[in-house]
Amino acid sequence: MASYDVIVIGSGPGGYVCAIRCAQLGLKTACVEGRDTLGGTCLNVGCIPSKALLHSSHLLHEAEHNFAAMGLKGKSPSVDWKQMLAYKDDVIGQNTKGIEFLFKKNKIDWLKGWGSIPAAGKVQVGDEVHDAKHIIIASGSAAASIPGAEVEIDEKIVVTSTGALELPKIPKKMVVVGGGVIGLELGSVYKRLGSDVTVIEFMDGITPGADAEVARSFLKILKKQGMEIITGAAVSKVETLKTKAKVSYKMRKDDSEHQMDADVVLVATGRVPFTDGLGLAALGVAMSKRGQIEVDASYRTNVPGVYAIGDVIDGPMLAHKAEDEGGAVAEMIAGQKPHIDYNLIPGVIYTTPEVASVGATEEQLKEAGRAYKVGKFSFMGNGRAKAVMQADGFVKMLADKDTDRVLGCHIIGPAAGDLIHEICVAMEFGASAEDIARTCHAHPTFSEAVREAALACGSGAIHA
């Protein structure tokens, strides 16, 4: 048994960042992790491996569709699926070993096993009970099933994102249930690899919560890429047969019932907090109706000395949101006063084109009765985007009508996930659209489209 200032339960982006920040601030720190590798869902079966497959499948698409136009002649590459998975696994290994190195560098003890909290100030891992002045729950989330539907996930034919990242072969026909980030990213991977992909979404549009204009444009682009997308459809049953599955769904507008066969069904209907085995009920930790741990503004639960961050509490289930909370709670324990502006957490979808957003959507501003103006600029007017054959999409900037302060930005286009951070920084400093418009941007870059959208909030873009 050992005694610590802080024990963090979970080594995902929230947990490992929290542990490192605690150690940097001079706190004796341990981190509990039951997997064989550190990094949580994100590094092992989520963000990182999916980006590896998105990258490799995008290059295949470029070879098949754009290389010849650039004067790159020759046979298109064939797909060695086993090698592609090995490349993906190597990327995972590099990242998880990197976290292990950082733990050693910062003298953080990795308590290997699954943790529980038998009492305030105590963390049990296996047969050992450790003392901690502060316990931080960062146990993340697990894939949700389809609400109200009969479905049995076997991670072979009916899979979550975890199974979709290690299928034994590329399916001929894949049905994706859920038109959110995970479903569209992994659907894109398999579409580029030759699968016939159909997405079934309950809502009337994809990417619920996104700016409606961006979502409509995104839907058109994905359909143009050959993805079939059925919106306004409720899946009622996924039946697993010997080598395939049968998906039953009902169209919400007319209650008509339909069926579809698939080699693989990807259930991508969101995620739910993962708190199994922690002993929170016996400990008396207050939970919300949605299964989230309730915390105050300092991430404290109702049990003294026990905190929670990331996917187990309220807010967007994003790795970078968890990281920020991990850093913030460490600093609070060390007596500092950090602040997170939850309105300025960016969201990104890593398809091609990428989709990124920060701040308010146009719909939210209308609902709030806020007077605003819109500055839009198409990537068709951006020289760099045309040069790399990625001129689909646009930048849409929203600014206060009277003060010109930037209220939100929504980008669909090349490198959108990187471009959005200029706006994140600008909004953190309360910048106006004119501030961005008057900042010199290098030419030729994708970022010029952001400047042009800012100009469009004023007297007009140059290249529109």
Side-chain angles (χ1 to χ4, degrees):
M1 189 179 93
S3 186
Y4 295 93
D5 294 318
V6 176
I7 295 179
V8 182
I9 300 176
S11 74
Y16 85 72
V17 167
C18 181
I20 291 170
R21 192 73 188 110
C22 285
Q24 287 175 340
L25 293 166
L27 300 165
K28 189 183 178 188
T29 306
C31 184
V32 181
E33 178 53 64
R35 288 181 196 266
D36 293 334
T37 50
L38 299 169
T41 295
C42 176
L43 269 67
N44 289 279
V45 289
C47 324
I48 299 299
S50 65
K51 300 313 157 285
L53 293 181
L54 280 160
H55 177 64
S56 52
S57 62
H58 171 63
L59 293 180
L60 175 68
H61 181 271
E62 288 288 282
E64 289 174 340
H65 297 277
N66 291 335
F67 275 15
M70 298 178 197
L72 300 169
K73 300 292 177 74
K75 270 179 68 179
S76 291
S78 59
V79 176
D80 182 336
W81 180 233
K82 281 186 181 174
Q83 181 56 38
M84 194 177 282
L85 291 179
Y87 149 71
K88 179 259 302 179
D89 290 340
D90 183 54
V91 171
I92 294 168
Q94 288 178 48
N95 280 277
T96 56
K97 286 184 181 72
I99 304 302
E100 206 170 331
F101 164 77
L102 290 172
F103 271 25
K104 285 173 184 168
K105 179 186 169 186
N106 288 283
K107 298 180 173 55
I108 298 162
D109 290 344
W110 175 6
L111 305 178
K112 296 185 180 182
W114 299 103
S116 62
I117 311 170
K122 306 281 184 187
V123 173
Q124 183 167 347
V125 183
D127 296 329
E128 291 191 335
V129 178
H130 305 274
D131 290 329
K133 292 175 193 167
H134 307 278
I135 300 166
I136 300 164
I137 300 166
S139 49
S141 60
S145 193
I146 305 166
E150 289 178 58
V151 56
E152 194 170 315
I153 292 164
D154 59 12
E155 296 295 11
K156 292 187 175 93
I157 294 173
V158 182
V159 300
T160 65
S161 54
T162 300
L165 290 165
E166 51 184 22
L167 293 177
K169 62 180 182 179
I170 297 164
K172 284 183 181 172
K173 169 74 180 173
M174 173 182 266
V175 169
V176 178
V177 183
V181 177
I182 295 169
L184 296 176
E185 285 186 355
L186 290 173
S188 283
V189 166
Y190 285 102
K191 178 73 194 92
R192 294 172 195 161
L193 294 173
S195 299
D196 177 8
V197 176
T198 300
V199 177
I200 303 175
E201 166 58 43
F202 179 79
M203 303 298 282
D204 292 328
I206 58 171
T207 58
D211 185 90
E213 187 179 7
V214 169
R216 286 193 300 270
S217 179
F218 190 29
L219 179 64
K220 280 182 195 167
I221 290 168
L222 290 175
K223 283 185 173 179
K224 196 169 81 175
Q225 291 175 359
M227 202 181 283
E228 188 182 348
I229 300 175
I230 301 165
T231 56
V235 171
S236 56
K237 189 176 184 182
V238 179
E239 189 181 357
T240 308
L241 308 172
K242 276 186 180 176
T243 57
K244 62 177 183 176
K246 191 180 287 292
V247 181
S248 303
Y249 65 95
K250 184 185 282 191
M251 296 305 295
R252 288 168 53 222
K253 62 183 177 187
D254 59 9
D255 282 343
S256 60
E257 296 191 3
H258 306 264
Q259 285 191 328
M260 187 180 292
D261 288 342
D263 299 306
V264 171
V265 177
L266 167 58
V267 177
T269 48
R271 297 181 67 81
V272 291
F274 178 72
T275 57
D276 296 1
L278 289 174
L280 300 187
L283 192 62
V285 172
M287 309 286 285
S288 73
K289 288 178 183 174
R290 296 172 64 193
Q292 296 164 321
I293 298 172
E294 293 192 342
V295 294
D296 66 11
S298 299
Y299 309 104
R300 292 177 296 213
T301 69
N302 61 312
V303 176
V306 179
Y307 307 74
I309 59 165
D311 287 3
V312 292
I313 68 170
D314 191 29
M317 289 185 171
L318 296 169
H320 44 284
K321 177 257 196 187
E323 286 185 26
D324 274 17
E325 290 175 343
V329 74
E331 289 166 8
M332 284 171 182
I333 288 168
Q336 298 179 17
K337 295 186 177 178
H339 171 69
I340 298 172
D341 187 339
Y342 283 93
N343 296 312
L344 300 185
I345 294 174
V348 185
I349 306 172
Y350 296 90
T351 46
T352 301
E354 289 185 353
V355 180
S357 65
V358 70
T361 64
E362 196 168 353
E363 291 69 40
Q364 286 169 337
L365 293 176
K366 280 178 183 169
E367 199 177 318
R370 185 87 178 254
Y372 67 94
K373 52 189 174 180
V374 181
K376 256 180 74 178
F377 186 78
S378 168
F379 278 101
M380 283 297 291
N382 180 271
R384 180 75 182 278
K386 282 191 283 201
V388 299
M389 300 183 179
Q390 289 195 49
D392 278 337
F394 55 87
V395 179
K396 177 180 182 179
M397 195 174 296
L398 303 166
D400 186 276
K401 192 173 183 182
D402 300 317
T403 66
D404 195 39
R405 184 172 181 154
V406 179
L407 303 174
C409 188
H410 309 276
I411 307 174
I412 177 167
D418 294 298
L419 297 180
I420 201 68
H421 294 96
E422 174 178 4
I423 306 302
C424 295
V425 173
M427 289 180 71
E428 281 283 3
F429 283 88
S432 66
E434 186 181 353
D435 288 326
I436 296 164
R438 291 192 180 278
T439 301
C440 187
H441 288 60
H443 174 77
T445 60
F446 302 133
S447 67
E448 288 176 288
V450 176
R451 185 189 196 183
E452 294 269 18
L455 282 163
C457 285
S459 53
I462 301 298
H463 293 92

